[in-house]
């Protein structure tokens, strides 16, 4: 990546970060006549609070005969929102604010021609709520600055917990996983030291990936624990995004390098393998920018859907691209096995690469599809389970990769007797009939 490109990236990231303040959200609404504006989502325990400060309110019309009870804020669960939509469709009500299924926070008839309104709303029914603004007066345009904070009170001391009900133990989970990765890094250093005669460059690269992952998790734990206590990340999010970025790039590069067999099968990269890297690395940059926007704006932020789609697309392309080098290596190994007569050696490598191919696919499938599925089907109270599932899958992938590609003192590739060689040659014949 060129200097100018990385500069552009940094500027972009900092611009995005300056817009955001984590769980205490700030939105400017200008001349907006949308009938429904969702703001934010939060899982309340039975001691939930919503702090809503609305300022600089200005309305395009203010005739006293307009019914301003049809303009205002309310809280609503997803289930009851479906029922409200049904009521609207059946003509039972003409405005979402008239439904008895929603919880009024405040309506503009209480404004008394002031231009600001602060309120604290207590929510005692535990559930996941969305803060919504409804404007049922046609052609009324609203401008306002909305600052909202949602939190749960905990314990006797009434400490505020700004993390949603299912996410409140996330800091501890991230911290635990980061300890595991630091331990793995220590273990790896030990292995590298003991087998220092057979260490390749790729093994140091693997160490870097594990360390980055550990640091990234540590930053995420700090980020989340600051948000939990104060509602904003105090700069830890910047560190977190930076390490996510580095981790993303190095992890994908590592998968490609191992896939090509770089440094332990051959010391160079072919042109097409370099091309894969040149596609994957810039795409990772885009994916990371998209991730920052997605995290910082929340599910109802402007362009959230677009960025989510960008992220998914880029991610899918990256995941497919990293598979090519593995497939090429498998092909090369098969051809080599036919020609150079070292069937046993090549069969072992072939098995290794085939396993690696399957494990990479499982890893991608699990962390993308299964985790996403878990996220959608689990109740808001257990959102952390999908995080744990994803992290466990990632951990398993790291451990597998480390174990299978560790430096070998007695390289099994080169100590094979004739009997094994014959058996392997047989196996390779079968292998040839087996399509990938
Ligand atoms: C709302 O205003 C009050 C009083 O001005 C302030 O203490 C509180 O922090 C504000 N809340 C938010 C979410 O901005």
């Amino acid at each position: 990546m060129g200097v100018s490109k990385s500069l552009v990236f940094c500027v972009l990231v900092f611009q995005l970060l300056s817009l955001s303040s984590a769980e205490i959200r700030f939105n400017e609404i200008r001349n907006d006549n949308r009938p429904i504006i969702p703001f934010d989502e939060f899982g309340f325990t039975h001691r939930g609070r919503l702090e809503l400060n609305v300022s600089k309110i200005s309305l395009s019309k203010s005739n006293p005969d307009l019914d301003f009870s049809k303009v205002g804020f309310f809280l609503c669960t997803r289930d009851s929102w479906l029922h409200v939509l049904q009521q609207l469709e059946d003509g039972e009500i003409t405005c979402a604010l008239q439904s008895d299924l929603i919880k009024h926070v405040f309506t503009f008839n209480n404004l008394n021609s002031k231009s600001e309104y602060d309120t604290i709303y207590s929510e005692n029914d535990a559930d996941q709520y969305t803060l919504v603004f409804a404007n049922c007066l046609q052609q009324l345009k609203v401008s306002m600055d909305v600052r909202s904070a949602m939190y749960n009170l905990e314990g006797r001391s009434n400490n505020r917990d700004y993390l949603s009900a299912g996410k409140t133990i996330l800091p501890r989970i991230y911290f635990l996983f980061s300890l595991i990765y630091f331990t793995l890094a220590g273990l790896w250093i030990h292995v590298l030291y003991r087998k220092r005669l057979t260490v390749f460059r790729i093994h140091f690269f693997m160490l870097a990936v594990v360390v980055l992952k550990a640091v990234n998790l540590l930053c995420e734990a700090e980020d989340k624990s600051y948000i939990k206590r104060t509602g904003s990340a105090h700069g830890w999010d910047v560190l977190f995004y930076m390490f996510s970025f580095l981790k993303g790039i190095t992890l994908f590069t590592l998968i490609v390098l191992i896939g090509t067999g770089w440094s332990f099968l051959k010391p160079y990269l072919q042109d097409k393998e370099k091309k894969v890297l040149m596609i994957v690395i810039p795409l990772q940059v885009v994916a990371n920018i998209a991730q920052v926007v997605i995290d910082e704006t929340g599910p109802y932020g402007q362009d959230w859907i677009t960025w989510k789609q960008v992220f998914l697309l880029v991610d899918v392309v990256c995941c497919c691209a990293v598979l090519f080098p593995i497939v090429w290596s498998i092909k090369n190994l098969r051809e080599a096995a036919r020609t150079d007569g070292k069937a046993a050696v090549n069969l072992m490598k072939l098995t290794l690469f085939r396993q690696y191919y399957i494990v990479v696919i499982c890893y991608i499938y699990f962390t993308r599809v299964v985790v996403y599925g878990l996220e959608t089907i689990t109740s808001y109270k257990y959102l952390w389970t999908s995080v744990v599932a994803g992290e466990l899958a990632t951990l398993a992938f790291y451990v597998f990769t480390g174990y299978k590609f560790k430096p070998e003192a007695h390289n099994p590739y080169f100590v094979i007797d004739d009997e094994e060689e014959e058996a392997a040659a047989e196996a390779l014949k079968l292998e040839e009939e087996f399509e990938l």
Side-chain angles (χ1 to χ4, degrees):
M1 194 169 55
V3 175
S4 59
K5 272 189 202 152
S6 40
L7 214 75
V8 168
F9 172 74
C10 287
V11 170
L12 254 177
V13 168
F14 283 107
Q15 272 190 348
L16 292 169
L17 291 176
S18 61
L19 294 178
S20 68
S21 61
E23 305 310 285
I24 297 178
R25 297 214 190 263
F26 176 69
N27 289 283
E28 285 183 6
I29 306 287
R30 291 289 168 262
N31 271 326
D32 204 321
N33 63 355
R34 277 180 289 173
I36 293 288
I37 307 175
F39 281 98
D40 203 3
E41 211 168 18
F42 194 79
F44 285 117
T45 64
H46 59 279
R47 291 171 71 199
R49 294 277 186 283
L50 158 67
E51 243 178 66
L52 184 65
N53 295 359
V54 189
S55 55
K56 296 190 192 160
I57 304 174
S58 81
L59 306 170
S60 63
K61 285 188 237 164
S62 53
N63 335 7
D65 52 315
L66 285 176
D67 181 6
F68 282 110
S69 68
K70 286 184 173 178
V71 183
F73 289 88
F74 65 89
L75 286 173
C76 189
T77 65
R78 283 194 182 179
D79 278 348
S80 39
W81 182 242
L82 294 178
H83 289 117
V84 171
L85 288 180
Q86 190 62 43
Q87 286 177 326
L88 283 166
E89 198 163 297
D90 296 347
E92 281 175 44
I93 52 175
T94 56
C95 180
L97 281 164
Q98 294 165 336
S99 169
D100 49 2
L101 298 170
I102 58 138
K103 312 212 167 186
H104 288 248
V105 176
F106 96 90
T107 46
F108 277 21
N109 53 344
N110 298 326
L111 213 54
N112 300 327
S113 65
K114 279 185 298 184
S115 72
E116 56 177 57
Y117 195 95
D118 295 349
T119 180
I120 294 185
Y121 181 87
S122 300
E123 178 56 72
N124 300 323
D125 297 332
D127 210 331
Q128 167 139 306
Y129 290 89
T130 305
L131 175 64
V132 185
F133 176 75
N135 168 9
C136 300
L137 297 181
Q138 272 151 17
Q139 287 143 14
L140 176 77
K141 286 185 184 154
V142 181
S143 300
M144 59 188 170
D145 287 357
V146 182
R147 202 174 275 280
S148 66
M150 294 193 257
Y151 52 87
N152 294 310
L153 297 179
E154 56 173 17
R156 293 232 177 104
S157 51
N158 285 341
N159 284 335
R160 293 174 177 192
D161 180 350
Y162 285 93
L163 286 181
S164 181
K167 294 184 180 169
T168 177
I169 63 165
L170 282 185
R172 264 179 267 170
I173 291 175
Y174 287 128
F175 186 68
L176 186 70
F177 274 102
S178 116
L179 284 185
I180 294 176
Y181 281 98
F182 277 120
T183 314
L184 281 183
L187 212 65
W188 192 247
I189 292 175
H190 179 69
V191 170
L192 292 190
Y193 181 74
R194 273 189 39 206
K195 310 272 177 72
R196 57 192 170 280
L197 295 178
T198 45
V199 164
F200 293 107
R201 270 177 295 170
I202 191 100
H203 294 123
F204 292 107
F205 199 84
M206 286 157 98
L207 177 64
V209 173
V210 176
V211 171
L212 281 174
K213 174 79 183 166
V215 175
N216 184 40
L217 280 167
L218 190 65
C219 291
E220 189 156 22
E222 275 301 314
D223 171 74
K224 287 275 182 285
S225 93
Y226 266 99
I227 290 178
K228 182 180 161 87
R229 281 176 286 147
T230 64
S232 74
H234 288 266
W236 279 96
D237 49 347
V238 182
L239 272 185
F240 164 66
Y241 291 123
M242 279 181 173
F243 280 105
S244 293
F245 172 68
L246 291 176
K247 183 210 75 184
I249 287 184
T250 48
L251 178 61
F252 275 94
T253 309
L254 179 68
I255 297 177
V256 171
L257 289 181
I258 290 184
T260 60
W262 175 76
S263 98
F264 56 94
L265 290 188
K266 57 184 193 221
Y268 55 87
L269 285 180
Q270 288 172 339
D271 270 348
K272 59 179 177 182
E273 292 164 348
K274 281 186 196 149
K275 271 188 198 128
V276 171
L277 279 180
M278 281 177 336
I279 294 172
V280 170
I281 292 176
L283 283 183
Q284 275 299 304
V285 176
V286 177
N288 278 277
I289 294 178
Q291 190 63 56
V292 173
V293 184
I294 292 167
D295 285 355
E296 294 293 319
T297 58
Y300 299 111
Q302 271 177 348
D303 307 328
W304 188 83
I305 305 249
T306 324
W307 281 103
K308 190 83 187 170
Q309 281 166 345
V310 167
F311 177 74
L312 283 178
L313 181 73
V314 167
D315 200 41
V316 167
V317 174
C318 281
C319 290
C320 294
V322 298
L323 293 177
F324 281 103
I326 313 179
V327 175
W328 293 331
S329 290
I330 292 176
K331 244 182 170 175
N332 287 343
L333 284 172
R334 276 177 164 186
E335 264 155 35
R338 265 186 226 124
T339 48
D340 73 1
K342 279 191 262 168
V345 175
N346 284 310
L347 187 69
M348 281 177 118
K349 291 181 191 166
L350 201 57
T351 318
L352 181 63
F353 272 80
R354 184 164 291 150
Q355 279 175 355
Y356 186 61
Y357 179 76
I358 292 171
V359 168
V360 170
I361 289 189
C362 290
Y363 165 69
I364 289 171
Y365 180 75
F366 198 90
T367 50
R368 273 45 178 192
V369 182
V370 176
V371 168
Y372 180 76
L374 267 177
E375 225 170 86
T376 15
I377 60 167
T378 46
S379 147
Y380 75 98
K381 274 184 272 183
Y382 304 109
L383 264 184
W384 56 271
T385 53
S386 58
V387 174
V388 171
E391 288 299 337
L392 281 178
T394 311
L395 183 63
F397 177 70
Y398 277 63
V399 169
F400 173 88
T401 310
Y403 181 73
K404 285 291 183 182
F405 294 93
K406 64 181 183 296
E408 289 286 0
H410 304 289
N411 199 325
Y413 299 160
F414 305 113
V415 281
I416 287 165
D417 57 33
D418 288 345
E419 264 173 47
E420 280 179 55
E421 178 69 34
E422 270 167 33
E426 283 293 306
L428 202 67
K429 268 185 209 146
L430 290 175
E431 185 68 34
E432 277 168 25
E433 288 151 25
F434 179 84
E435 276 304 308
L436 189 67

